[in-house]
Amino acid sequence: DAGVIQSPRHEVTEMGQEVTLRCKPISGHNSLFWYRQTMMRGLELLIYFNNNVPIDDSGMPEDRFSAKMPNASFSTLKIQPSEPRDSAVYFCASIPFLGTGNTIYFGEGSWLTVV
Amino acid sequence: AQTVTQSQPEMSVQEAETVTLSCTYDTSESDYYLFWYKQPPSRQMILVIRQEAYKQQNATENRFSVNFQKAAKSFSLKISDSQLGDAAMYFCAYTSGTYKYIFGTGTRLKVLA
């Protein structure tokens, strides 16, 4: 079975540009997460979707960040405008459903560098 | 609030030897789930082992095993017969079954040839 698929794997962009990260969760998983990993702050939950509906976006740092999940097999995380402090590895992850401590499956991550 | 603490920022082990990575957590829940994830230089987070708190038996996966001490709220990972490919960051994680997965700060494991 295919795992969580993210694109792009690496992105280098200039400050002020729009960045769009994409994610395809594992088929049949109804919960999707976006995390950000930095040296300073570790792994942070940005937003959580259940059945395509955003349930908790309290981790989204600023209005510059937005996330959508138009259907069960696709999600995007957008940063507009991007800033150097947004440089990080962004992970998408999914689980089949809540309630039984399911293993959370991560994508390979999108390594973003904003210069 | 639930917390996960990994007190060892870095550990080293000689190839073929055994190493134990420590993890403690704090929770008021009686039922929960614990995980160890490995993050190699490629950055992908890979599940190593999962433990259900209601199970007394410690989980094992080949060379990886845990020492789960529920009363002490301790969940250490033992890697036996360490291999060069085990070199990575290791993260301990907790969930009570909600969407909130709490991750520790990680332990960098170096394997010496």
Side-chain angles (χ1 to χ4, degrees), chain A residues 25-86:
Chain A
I26 293 173
S27 177
H29 284 198
N30 71 4
S31 291
L32 182 139
F33 309 77
W34 282 101
Y35 286 90
R36 178 172 69 176
Q37 186 180 38
T38 61
M39 287 290 292
M40 292 296 294
R41 301 173 71 93
L43 203 59
E44 304 173 273
L45 176 64
L46 299 178
I47 188 167
Y48 162 68
F49 290 88
N50 188 48
N51 290 322
N52 314 336
V53 176
I55 302 300
D56 183 354
D57 65 355
S58 60
M60 297 285 264
E62 300 169 32
D63 291 346
R64 299 184 296 106
F65 285 69
S66 62
K68 294 182 179 180
M69 192 166 185
N71 57 62
S73 59
F74 184 66
S75 177
T76 60
L77 178 68
K78 187 174 293 187
I79 309 172
Q80 166 65 16
S82 58
E83 296 182 4
R85 59 193 167 122
D86 302 330

Side-chain angles (χ1 to χ4, degrees), chain B residues 15-70:
Chain B
E15 200 175 2
E17 295 296 307
T18 296
V19 64
T20 298
L21 308 184
S22 300
C23 172
T24 58
Y25 57 93
D26 190 23
T27 183
S28 57
E29 303 285 341
S30 58
D31 197 15
Y32 48 88
Y33 308 83
L34 297 163
F35 308 83
W36 278 99
Y37 279 87
K38 172 184 178 181
Q39 187 178 43
S42 66
R43 291 288 191 140
Q44 180 157 23
M45 297 281 281
I46 303 164
L47 175 72
V48 175
I49 205 161
R50 174 179 177 271
Q51 174 81 42
E52 297 167 341
Y54 64 85
K55 288 187 176 179
Q56 300 282 351
Q57 190 172 6
N58 289 326
T60 63
E61 285 290 342
N62 301 314
R63 297 182 295 107
F64 298 86
S65 61
V66 298
N67 183 6
F68 173 48
Q69 302 287 330
K70 191 171 184 179

